[in-house]
DNA sequence: CGACCGTTTGAGTGCGGTCAAAAGAAGTGG
DNA sequence: CCACTTCTTTTGACCGCACTCAAACGGTCG
C-alpha cells in the first residue's frame, strides 16, 4: 500500500480513520512521470481523471486566440488538480510540468465512490476545493486591481507559504523553477517587464536571487505590497461529517 | 413547502427523486430581502451560511488597501453563493445587492446533512462549484491577457448566456442594472474607460443600449472578441451517484 | 426646482507593452 | 573538453492603452 500524499494533506486539517485512509491510498495506486516541459493534459482533450501531484511543480494554463498564455495556478506536491473534470468531460485547461513531476491519476468513478461511501473525505475535498477557489479570487483581484510589482510579490509570497505548509522547517529561501516568461504568464505581464520588476524588488531589499533559488528577504514588507492574505491559516472544516 | 429555486437549477443537469427534492426545498425555508445597494455580507465577518439567490442581481467583491474594488462574480437567480463558507468561518469576500434581491440562507450543518444522507445532491453541488471555478479561470485569463474591450464583451456575453439558462425564451435584450463604475470593478478598468469602450462597442454595431437595458446586436462577433467559451453547455455530471 | 448620481467628453500622463539586440547559462553533440 | 545551439536574462528606446483629473451633461427622485 502506497502512503497517500493527498491524505497527508487532508490530515493537516482533520484526523482520518483507517477506512478513510485506505480509500485515499487507493487513489494513488497508479503513478506517471513527466519530464520538465512536458504537457500533461491539453485543453479540450477528453479528461475523465483527477490528478494528485506526488512531487514536482506543474502549472495549469489556457491559451488565447492570439497565442498568449495565462497560467491559472501553480500546483505543488500534495495538490489535487484537474478538479474541473468533475464538471466537464473535456479539459477546460492545460497542464504542464515545470519540473520533473510524478502524478497519480484517478477516475471520476472513484470520486463517486467517495461521495457514496466516504462522505467525510468527499466533504474534505469540497473544503479544499473552496479554499482553492478563494486563492483564485485573490489572484483575480491581484490581476484586476494591483500593479505589476504587487502581482509578482503576491506570486512569490504565496508560493513560499504553500511550500511551508508541507515543509514547516523551510526558511525564507526556496528553489523557484519558473522562467520570467512563466512568471509573466502567471501575472498577466510580459517577460521584459517581469525582469524589470524583479530587479526592482531586489534593489528594494525585498528578495534575493541566485541561480534558480529565491530568498524572501523582507517577508512582512513583501506581503504588504502584495496585499497578501494567508488563507491557508484560516481553513475551518469543522462542519464535515464525523468519521464513520 | 416552498418550491426550490436551486433544485430547479440542479434538475437542468440531472433528474432528482422525492427525498432529494424535499431536502433541497428545506434549504430555502427561510428568506431575506435586501434593497439595491445593501451589503448582504461583509468580508471578515463571521459567515457560517450559504445563500441561494431566489431573485435579483448581486455581486461578490473584495476591497483592496487603496480603496479600489474587484468584483469577483455576478450572481443571478438560482445561484448558490458564499460557498467559501465551506472552507472558512469568516467571509473571504463581501456580497452586495445590485438590485432588490431575495436570498435563502442555510447553515453549514445543512451541508453536512447533504453529504451524509444525500450524496447525489452533495456531488451535484460539487459539480456546480467546479463549473463556477471554470468561470473564474475564464475571468482570470480575461483580466490577465485581454484588452479592455474584450473584457467588457466577455462580461456582457456571459451575462446573457447565464440569463438564458433560466429563461430560454430570452432573446438578445435584457435588463442590465450595473453602473459603468461596477462594470469597471468587474473588469479591472476605470469607469471612464468603460464608458469609452461601451460606446465603441455600440459604434461597432455589437451592442445597443437604452435606459438600463442592453441588446446584444451581433452575438457571434461579440463572442469572438471576448474569447468567449460557453462552459454551461458542456457540463457533464454523469459520474454523480445515482438517486438513492 | 434643486440635489444627487451616473454618463459623457476632453486633455494630459504614465505604466506596462513592443521591438530589438546583447550578454549569460545551459544543454548537446562531436 | 570544446564548439555550437538554444533558452533565458538583461538592457535600451520608443509607443500606446488605459488611467487621472476635471468639467459638463442628463436623468431621477425628493
Amino acid at each position: 500500500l502506497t502512503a497517500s500524499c493527498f491524505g497527508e494533506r487532508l490530515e493537516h486539517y482533520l484526523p482520518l480513520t483507517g477506512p478513510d485512509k485506505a480509500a485515499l491510498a487507493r487513489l494513488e495506486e497508479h503513478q506517471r512521470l513527466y519530464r520538465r516541459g512536458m504537457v500533461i493534459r491539453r485543453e479540450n482533450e477528453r479528461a475523465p481523471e483527477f490528478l494528485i501531484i506526488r512531487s514536482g511543480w506543474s502549472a495549469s494554463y489556457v491559451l488565447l486566440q492570439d497565442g498568449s498564455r495565462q497560467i491559472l495556478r501553480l500546483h505543488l506536491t500534495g495538490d489535487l488538480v484537474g478538479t474541473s473534470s468533475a464538471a466537464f468531460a473535456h479539459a477546460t485547461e492545460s497542464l504542464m510540468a515545470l519540473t520533473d513531476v510524478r502524478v497519480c491519476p484517478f477516475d471520476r468513478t472513484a470520486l463517486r465512490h467517495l461521495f457514496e461511501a466516504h462522505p467525510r473525505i468527499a466533504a474534505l475535498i469540497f473544503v479544499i476545493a473552496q479554499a482553492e477557489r478563494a486563492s483564485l479570487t485573490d489572484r483575480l483581484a491581484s490581476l484586476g486591481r494591483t500593479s505589476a510589482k504587487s502581482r509578482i510579490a503576491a506570486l512569490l509570497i504565496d508560493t513560499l507559504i504553500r511550500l511551508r505548509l508541507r515543509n514547516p522547517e523551510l526558511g525564507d529561501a526556496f528553489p523557484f523553477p519558473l522562467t520570467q516568461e512563466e512568471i509573466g504568464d502567471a501575472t498577466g505581464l510580459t517577460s521584459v517587464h517581469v525582469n524589470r520588476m524583479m530587479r526592482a524588488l531586489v534593489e528594494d531589499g525585498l528578495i534575493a536571487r541566485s541561480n534558480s533559488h529565491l530568498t524572501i528577504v523582507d517577508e512582512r514588507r513583501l506581503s504588504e505590497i502584495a496585499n497578501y492574505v494567508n488563507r491557508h491559516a484560516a481553513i475551518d472544516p469543522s462542519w464535515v461529517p464525523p468519521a464513520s
Side-chain angles (χ1 to χ4, degrees), chain A residues 8-214:
Chain A
E8 212 175 291
R9 161 84 165 278
L10 293 187
E11 288 206 284
H12 283 187
Y13 305 116
L14 282 180
L16 298 175
T17 57
D20 283 349
K21 281 188 201 176
L24 284 167
R26 230 167 295 134
L27 300 180
E28 295 177 40
E29 273 174 348
H30 309 288
Q31 189 171 100
R32 292 194 208 129
L33 253 86
Y34 295 89
R35 295 230 151 272
R36 169 185 165 78
M38 288 182 70
V39 174
I40 299 171
R41 171 174 295 180
R42 210 176 300 271
E43 210 178 329
N44 296 323
E45 274 180 1
R46 262 193 69 76
E49 310 177 315
F50 302 80
L51 303 169
I52 292 168
I53 308 289
R54 216 142 206 304
S55 70
W57 295 47
S58 55
S60 50
Y61 63 93
V62 291
L63 296 174
L64 308 205
Q65 254 74 332
D66 64 357
S68 63
R69 175 173 68 165
Q70 176 66 50
I71 290 185
L72 303 171
R73 179 77 169 151
L74 251 47
H75 304 290
L76 309 177
T77 306
D79 282 355
L80 175 65
V81 326
T83 50
S84 66
S85 291
F88 305 101
H90 297 262
T92 56
E93 55 201 61
S94 302
L95 184 68
M96 73 175 293
L98 296 174
T99 65
D100 294 355
V101 296
R102 291 181 297 152
V103 306
C104 299
F106 66 92
D107 198 83
R108 303 211 286 183
T109 55
L111 194 65
R112 178 197 322 188
H113 177 252
L114 291 179
F115 273 86
E116 286 174 334
H118 301 270
R120 183 175 174 82
I121 291 182
L124 266 176
I125 289 177
F126 188 66
V127 169
I128 301 270
Q130 288 309 317
E132 286 288 313
R133 181 186 170 284
S135 278
L136 269 178
T137 58
D138 286 341
R139 276 164 59 52
L140 201 70
S142 182
L143 293 207
R145 287 301 188 201
T146 78
S147 69
K149 210 190 263 193
S150 284
R151 296 186 207 177
I152 294 172
L155 177 68
L156 302 182
I157 280 280
D158 186 54
T159 304
L160 173 60
I161 301 294
R162 289 172 70 198
L163 288 170
R164 278 210 194 118
L165 284 182
R166 282 225 119 227
N167 181 4
E169 297 88 47
L170 187 67
D172 299 318
F174 56 97
F176 192 73
L178 298 225
T179 66
Q180 296 182 354
E181 181 98 38
E182 287 160 348
I183 297 174
D185 287 342
T187 52
L189 302 165
T190 59
S191 61
V192 174
H193 204 57
V194 168
N195 183 272
R196 285 194 256 260
M197 293 300 103
M198 297 268 296
R199 319 203 90 244
L201 290 173
V202 171
E203 281 195 13
D204 297 350
L206 297 172
I207 65 171
R209 297 173 298 164
S210 63
N211 33 11
S212 52
H213 279 243
L214 210 136

